[in-house]
Amino acid sequence: MPRIALGSIFTECNQLGGAPLTLAEFERGELSRGEDVLKATAGTVGGMLDALRAGGATPVPLLVASACPGSEVTADCYTTLKTELLERLRASLPVEGVLLALHGSAAAENAGDLEGDLLTAVRGVVGPTVPIVATLDLHAHVTRTMVEQATALVAWETYPHRDAFTTGARGARLLLDTVRGKCHPTMAMVKVPVVTAAIHGGTDGPSPFADVMRFAKWFEGRGRVLSTSVFLVHPYLDLPEMGSGALVVTDNDLPEAVDLATRIANLYWARRRDLEPEVASPADAIERGRRIAGGPVLLVEAADCCGGGAAGDSVATLKALLVAGGTDRAIVPVVDPRAADVCHRAGMGGTVEFELGHQVDPRWGTPVRVQGTVNHLSDGKFRYRGGIFDGQQGDMGRTAVVRVGEIDILITTHGTYDWNGEQLEAVGLDPRGVKFLVVKNPMNYNMAFRPFSTGVFVLDTPGPTPATVKGVPFRNFRDPWFPRFEELEEPRFWVYTS
Ligand SMILES: [Zn+2]
């Protein structure tokens, strides 16, 4: 029975804004160690455990830590998590392989390429011959270091992300085949400088990203191709060599891996213009939304996406709704710990008045003064059904719903990842009953609300997760890239090989 070490440090980081990730965010998310790790039945780690057990291997649990995205992981926090994971690994030796559930776009204050740094450290402990397989989000920023230090990398293939479990299992099976000498992974990552938001990055319906994914997946399992992954790079990092493309793992055939990854990256480049979304101002979207019969009309404030690392504290769309006036019912989520505290002190039915918004990350706007009635109070706990955090508890912290005119404002202490409308359900807000529903994510609203919505407008508002990154002044990412350099006809290619 091969002994396989299993660990995870998982989050996505935003280098344009948001609030730093400390140990408290991981404690509020997921932080399990040793035997507790073995209890996971869902998510990437659950899938890894399932496949290891089915494959006759003994999982050796290290540390599993995950947090809702934010800005960078603090140096203290990363050092603490990394040190514990490595200590547990050293204490577990010898192992025949290592499985890591990673994101690929995490960044620490003391390690810009967090996953590259972690893989290097793990490689340092187990030595050059023990296979290491890591799973990644398809929004990973795959670096040369990651490709050189890992034996194989496999990424999720769905967005909205529904396949954490099966990807964990795929990674585990590939590792076991490698450990048993059934295959010898060789790997190539080829990227082109396309940096777009994820609005058209879905894999469900017709979309440019879905087309590239289908093309890539056709090759998986054929000939010597062990795994194909397509990446739409998390566009809110600011690191060298940001790009999107493909990673191909072959059985001892590096030229084939390079060749196929290049073909997929070429297709990605050809579809780049289809990835840029159309955007509207909040005022324009509200005016056009009013001409649509019924609701909800979705106002997609993508720039304030907690799942992409933003603070969730923008009131840009709320301001436009207040200015527009009228009798349209609306729901707007805003993260504001201070306002949540005021509501809890006022109690149910209390009247409150405060400056709301832009308190956590004040770089993107100014607060708005609101007066209203407290209609709901809770501890903000809820449970995710499906997705990457399937079965886990979400924690908005102290939460309130304040009615301002016809608008219900969901005020929370902490930002949380949006999956399938769990937050609204937890506080008893019915999205079917309103004219306008403000959503703050670029994709999962399609699954949660679009089936019963009457219209959708993707908004152009200030924030660290904008719907188009055309105007983002990257400092560390210096290469010409699409869409900023719209006229760029020939891409440059970054090619990393194992
Ligand atoms: Zn993702």
Side-chain angles (χ1 to χ4, degrees):
M1 299 257 289
R3 286 164 47 78
I4 306 297
L6 194 163
S8 174
I9 298 177
F10 180 93
T11 193
E12 184 180 65
C13 293
N14 189 311
Q15 293 178 312
L16 311 179
L21 292 170
T22 66
L23 214 49
E25 276 70 44
F26 286 91
E27 280 161 356
R28 201 166 54 245
E30 183 184 19
L31 194 50
S32 61
R33 23 177 75 91
E35 296 299 304
D36 274 346
V37 170
L38 300 177
K39 294 176 191 157
T41 55
T44 312
V45 172
M48 288 174 167
L49 287 169
D50 192 61
L52 287 179
R53 287 171 183 140
T58 305
V60 179
L62 306 175
L63 169 88
V64 169
S66 75
C68 179
S71 71
E72 291 181 335
V73 180
T74 64
D76 251 11
C77 176
Y78 177 52
T79 303
T80 303
L81 295 175
K82 175 183 164 186
T83 304
E84 182 176 344
L85 189 145
L86 294 177
E87 274 170 7
R88 286 179 177 275
L89 178 59
R90 272 186 216 103
S92 306
L93 295 178
V95 293
E96 277 73 51
V98 182
L99 261 178
L100 297 171
L102 307 177
H103 184 288
S105 287
E109 289 167 351
N110 54 343
D113 173 14
L114 186 151
E115 287 85 358
D117 179 78
L118 186 65
L119 282 162
T120 304
V122 168
R123 176 61 72 205
V125 172
V126 298
T129 56
V130 171
I132 303 172
V133 171
T135 58
L136 302 173
D137 188 334
L138 60 81
H139 297 123
H141 169 50
V142 180
T143 63
R144 185 182 298 279
T145 307
M146 288 159 64
V147 173
E148 287 175 353
Q149 297 297 324
T151 308
L153 300 166
V154 299
W156 300 342
E157 50 197 29
T158 62
Y159 185 46
H161 301 311
R162 296 191 184 90
D163 63 322
F165 186 92
T166 52
T167 302
R170 277 198 296 134
R173 285 194 295 269
L174 180 53
L175 178 66
L176 286 182
D177 284 350
T178 308
V179 166
R180 289 174 171 141
K182 291 182 187 167
C183 64
H184 297 87
T186 40
M187 178 164 56
M189 173 79 206
V190 179
K191 296 194 278 192
V192 287
V194 179
V195 184
T196 67
I199 303 282
H200 294 315
T203 55
D204 287 347
S207 90
F209 188 76
D211 290 345
V212 180
M213 183 64 80
R214 284 181 201 118
F215 177 78
K217 285 294 165 186
W218 188 86
F219 294 94
E220 198 170 79
R222 290 173 196 259
R224 301 181 80 91
V225 179
L226 298 171
S227 167
T228 56
S229 301
V230 182
F231 295 92
L232 184 156
V233 66
H234 179 54
Y236 313 120
L237 291 168
D238 183 2
L239 293 171
E241 307 193 356
M242 301 231 302
S244 303
L247 187 150
V248 174
V249 184
T250 50
D251 185 9
N252 205 16
D253 191 344
L254 190 57
E256 166 69 11
V258 173
D259 181 60
L260 180 55
T262 305
R263 283 173 68 189
I264 301 166
N266 263 312
L267 178 61
Y268 201 106
W269 177 257
R271 296 300 303 271
R272 66 194 183 283
R273 291 199 165 86
D274 301 330
L275 285 157
E276 269 294 275
E278 259 185 52
V279 292
S281 72
D284 187 35
I286 292 164
E287 197 197 311
R288 286 159 65 193
R290 281 182 168 163
R291 285 186 240 133
I292 297 169
V297 171
L298 308 183
L299 302 176
V300 182
E301 194 175 340
D304 194 30
C305 172
C306 294
D313 66 346
S314 165
V315 289
T317 311
L318 174 61
K319 278 181 183 172
L321 284 165
L322 291 169
V323 168
T327 56
D328 292 322
R329 291 208 49 212
I331 295 174
V332 186
V334 180
V335 176
D336 190 325
R338 213 164 58 182
D341 184 54
V342 172
C343 293
H344 275 255
R345 280 191 278 123
M348 272 295 284
T351 302
V352 290
E353 186 173 356
F354 39 60
E355 299 284 322
L356 181 71
H358 300 290
Q359 309 281 348
V360 184
D361 184 6
R363 285 169 279 191
W364 309 97
T366 54
V368 62
R369 187 150 200 94
V370 294
Q371 190 192 48
T373 310
V374 179
N375 277 346
H376 169 95
L377 291 171
S378 69
D379 66 359
K381 302 258 198 307
F382 63 93
R383 202 156 287 281
Y384 286 106
R385 296 183 311 265
I388 54 179
F389 298 126
D390 188 17
Q392 284 186 39
Q393 183 178 268
D395 185 359
M396 300 182 277
R398 291 209 291 172
T399 292
V401 176
V402 172
R403 173 64 73 84
V404 176
E406 294 300 312
I407 304 171
D408 281 317
I409 308 176
L410 169 56
I411 301 174
T412 68
T413 299
H414 306 302
T416 50
Y417 172 82
D418 286 330
W419 175 244
N420 203 7
E422 285 91 343
Q423 290 93 329
L424 297 186
E425 201 180 301
V427 300
L429 286 176
D430 180 8
R432 286 179 167 80
V434 299
K435 175 69 193 180
F436 290 113
L437 174 63
V438 175
V439 296
K440 293 184 169 180
N441 67 73
M443 176 54 58
N444 294 351
Y445 69 85
N446 287 296
M447 170 184 65
F449 309 119
R450 194 149 189 174
F452 57 84
S453 70
T454 56
V456 180
F457 295 93
V458 176
L459 305 182
D460 185 18
T461 58
T465 53
T468 170
V469 285
K470 212 171 182 168
V472 171
F474 293 114
R475 284 184 298 193
N476 300 312
F477 176 46
R478 292 161 183 274
D479 295 271
W481 51 283
F482 177 86
R484 169 75 66 75
F485 297 84
E486 175 77 37
E487 70 289 352
L488 209 62
E489 281 307 322
E490 291 298 318
R492 67 154 300 168
F493 292 92
W494 290 288
V495 181
Y496 312 147
T497 55
S498 58

